Amino acid sequence: MQLGIFCSVIDNYGDAGVAWRLARQLRDDFGQDVTLWIDDSGTLAAFAPEVRADAELQRFSRLTLRRWHRPQPHARDREALAHLDVVIEAFGCGLGEPWLEALAGRRPPPCWIHLEHLTPESWAEEVHGRPSPHPRLPLTAWFFVPGFTPRTGGLLRERPLLETRERFQGNPAEIALFLDRIGQAAALGTRRITLFCYADAELGAFLAWLASDPRATTVFVPPGQPRRALARSGLELGTRALALPGTPHVRFVPLPMLAQDDFDRLLWSCDLNWVRGEDSFVRAQWSGRPFLWHPYRQEGNAHLLKLDAFLDHYLAAAPAALGDSISRLFRRSNRGEETPQDWVALWQQRALWQAHCRRWCQLLAHQEDLCTRLLDFIARNAIK
Ligand code: TRH
């Protein structure tokens, strides 16, 4: 099949991150021809070093990347549209009438998928797979909602992912090699934490816990928002690693944006990952390591409902005391209200937490991944 994915970058890295991962997996695991139209290749290039930010069209074997000029399809876009069997509109980016008209002119029209944001909430099951006919054009959009249960669109998970992760985590030499390659050999032998939070995260309790805990710790800090959150707590990170005042055993290390596959390796090599949004959240779960999630802030605190819904899934089979501590930290941290004691209490149960994360990852991996469900869905419902 020929699949087209349309992605508009709203902010941060998540929109481009999910679209790129989806495109690559459709190509690599399923041998599909994929064209990704994206309106901001610069954001993609930040974590996909093979991408040139200024190019109109680039090919990566069966994956074609096109700059998306939203108002009108150019002649070369029309030519590409004419071959598409499936059009995936990511995150309600809105294709716009001229693009839809070009698609509607086709006989039969291509299958049109609305790929929604991942949600752990129960409405995912209700909306997933529903059709929505266009009011005027002979086109039907199908809602595809990623989620945590078999009756949703599932989660992105490449075929070799867990095996590759298992080999990596079971091989200290590979971890050492990776850390060395990203210039972080000094982090070997220390407790390692990734801090990929939003700028408004309250870090006071986290920093106080680290300062009070005698273990040598390295905190990896990606660019942008995590650095701003640290700066608000009084730690201005430049280009060099810094320690907390009076606590030289805790080092904060600025990292550049890593390629998406190296970002995975970073999560795999850490003892704890503080993640956000949608894609880093899912990758933290595939890492099998303890994580704290800060969902993307939404109006009316809708993100807190998402968080509660996630905790219901994630903690359903957790030992009671561990579940209480995780739920307390996640909920309070997302309101900026956690205390150092919340961190201490959870970290004391670290071995249990680690075991729970591995079990949770295995449980999720028993379900079909998102791409498998998407291609099945297209074959069963949408392409007749
Ligand atoms: O960056 P995010 O916060 O993105 C989003 C957007 O804000 C979006 O509008 C919103 O709708 C969504 O969150 C919920 O978080 P996310 O989803 O975790 O995406 C980060 C991506 O960046 C992910 O694909 C991993 C990638 N990444 C790297 O590849 N290398 C890196 O070094 C880092 C730090 C991230």
Side-chain angles (χ1 to χ4, degrees), residues 11-14 47 117 198 258 260 276 278-280 296:
D11 57 3
N12 305 323
Y13 303 108
F47 56 85
H117 278 295
Y198 290 117
L258 301 176
Q260 224 174 22
R276 67 189 205 193
E278 171 169 334
D279 194 52
S280 58
Y296 184 75

Side-chain angles (χ1 to χ4, degrees), residues 10-18 21 46-48 91 117 196 198 222-223 225 256-263 266 275-281 283 296 306:
I10 304 297
D11 57 3
N12 305 323
Y13 303 108
D15 311 291
V18 171
R21 214 181 271 294
F47 56 85
F91 310 135
H117 278 295
F196 187 48
Y198 290 117
Q225 301 215 28
M257 283 297 283
L258 301 176
Q260 224 174 22
D261 294 342
D262 275 346
F263 181 66
L266 180 75
V275 288
R276 67 189 205 193
E278 171 169 334
D279 194 52
S280 58
F281 167 52
R283 306 314 278 188
Y296 184 75
K306 250 186 193 177

Side-chain angles (χ1 to χ4, degrees), residues 73-103:
H74 292 168
R76 55 181 180 271
D77 292 314
R78 287 181 188 280
E79 206 178 298
L81 293 176
H83 297 289
L84 291 183
D85 303 296
V86 179
V87 175
I88 301 169
E89 188 179 317
F91 310 135
C93 60
L95 272 181
E97 292 291 297
W99 291 79
L100 290 177
E101 271 161 13
L103 293 170

Side-chain angles (χ1 to χ4, degrees), residues 319-335:
L322 177 71
D324 287 349
S325 301
I326 293 177
S327 154
R328 186 179 172 86
L329 181 79
F330 274 56
R331 291 199 165 101
R332 292 177 62 144
S333 177
N334 271 283
R335 292 173 171 84

